[in-house]
Amino acid sequence: MYQAASQRYDTMPYRRCGRSGLRLPAVSLGLWHNFGDTTPYETMRAMCRTAFDHGITHFDLADNYGPEPGAAERNFGRILREDFRPYRDELIISTKAGYLMWDGPYGDWGSRKHLLAGLDQSLKRMGLDYVDIFYHHRMDPATPLEETMEALAQAVRSGKALYVGLSNYDGPTLEKAAAILDELHCPFVLCQNRYSMLDRNVEENGLKEAAVQAGRGLITFSPLAQGRLTDRYLHGIPADSRIRTDGRYLKEKDITPELVQKISALNEMAARRGQTLAEMALAWLLAQPAVTSVLIGASRPEQILDNIRAVENTTFTPDEWEEIDRICGAE
């Protein structure tokens, strides 16, 4: 059913998460938009099989991924039972808690009650005894940071998580959190944040630099800026685009003439490099020493294969770095 391990891991680079011993594939698969109940099960199954067959060993989820919340974990749990149970020790499975999941005062944010109850629910949905990485999904301005970090440490002590991570944190909060987790001897290995050519927030809020200084890895989501860093919107909005079929996170008003001009210029540059725009956008992230892995989303197996090709050329000249910054307005 699957390629032999010697073939599976031949072409995918694996990178350490900061100074830890854990390595992730350069390209990881995010089970967000397209692993809810609106996607045919066989399509989800084919995407996971294709990813694993080509060296993607890391599958990233969260309790609220759907639609509906919880659906992605339930669907992935079924795929694990039917296809991946013999390969559990070859997989890195991550999930998160921190966004709204159930009614009442304990259903979201960063309390000990929410995080540990949320992790138990996630394990039940996926049919797992443990996850490899458990994240706090977002900063909580109301809960003491010490409480949230102690809950993550408890998840590891209980054997329900091997490592912990922080998602959507900024640099100053990351520094404080890392110090607390170090005192607790908790294996905090990875930061997950949105990052792309068009979204440089991790550079502006200090997260990227703080992760490097703390010796933690950085895994980036939305590396294609919700599909904007592709050629799909160069000539209008396709009927099968995410804008038309979903509309929750990317809207028609986001595709401005100024954006199309940037995309067109980047697309021309990618063609000179012998890449698609999507490949160049992923390669741009992978060329940065701070980045451990990029999280891709997909709606069909062929997109996964297209994105994996980014690892074949992650070298940029100084002039190319400057040109990308100029086009994106990041100088």
Side-chain angles (χ1 to χ4, degrees), residues 4-29:
S6 58
Q7 296 173 295
R8 194 157 59 235
Y9 304 124
D10 273 351
T11 57
M12 176 63 68
Y14 296 85
R15 301 171 167 198
R16 290 193 183 276
C17 296
R19 291 193 290 265
S20 78
L22 181 65
R23 293 192 296 164
L24 296 183
V27 177
S28 300
L29 184 63

Side-chain angles (χ1 to χ4, degrees), residues 187-257:
F188 162 37
V189 296
L190 199 58
C191 304
Q192 184 175 138
N193 288 75
R194 185 172 56 246
Y195 191 20
S196 72
M197 290 177 176
L198 297 175
D199 187 339
R200 310 292 184 93
N201 190 50
V202 296
E203 299 173 1
E204 297 160 3
N205 70 13
L207 184 283
K208 179 181 172 183
E209 182 179 356
V212 172
Q213 293 298 319
R216 269 67 184 193
L218 174 61
I219 184 168
T220 65
F221 66 88
S222 293
L224 303 183
Q226 296 289 320
R228 284 170 285 184
L229 285 169
T230 68
D231 61 4
R232 283 178 61 75
Y233 299 107
L234 287 176
H235 307 290
I237 301 174
D240 63 346
S241 68
R242 184 173 294 166
I243 292 174
R244 299 288 189 231
T245 60
D246 190 323
R248 287 177 297 162
Y249 303 100
L250 185 63
K251 303 183 184 302
E252 187 169 351
K253 65 180 178 61
D254 297 324
I255 310 301
T256 63

Side-chain angles (χ1 to χ4, degrees), residues 146-215:
E146 291 80 4
E147 178 180 342
T148 302
M149 297 306 108
E150 167 57 32
L152 293 178
Q154 176 61 29
V156 173
R157 287 195 294 267
S158 69
K160 296 176 182 179
L162 301 186
Y163 304 90
V164 303
L166 300 175
S167 183
N168 298 307
Y169 272 56
D170 61 24
T173 312
L174 169 64
E175 291 178 0
K176 296 174 185 176
I180 296 169
L181 290 168
D182 284 346
E183 289 183 7
L184 294 170
H185 302 288
C186 180
F188 162 37
V189 296
L190 199 58
C191 304
Q192 184 175 138
N193 288 75
R194 185 172 56 246
Y195 191 20
S196 72
M197 290 177 176
L198 297 175
D199 187 339
R200 310 292 184 93
N201 190 50
V202 296
E203 299 173 1
E204 297 160 3
N205 70 13
L207 184 283
K208 179 181 172 183
E209 182 179 356
V212 172
Q213 293 298 319

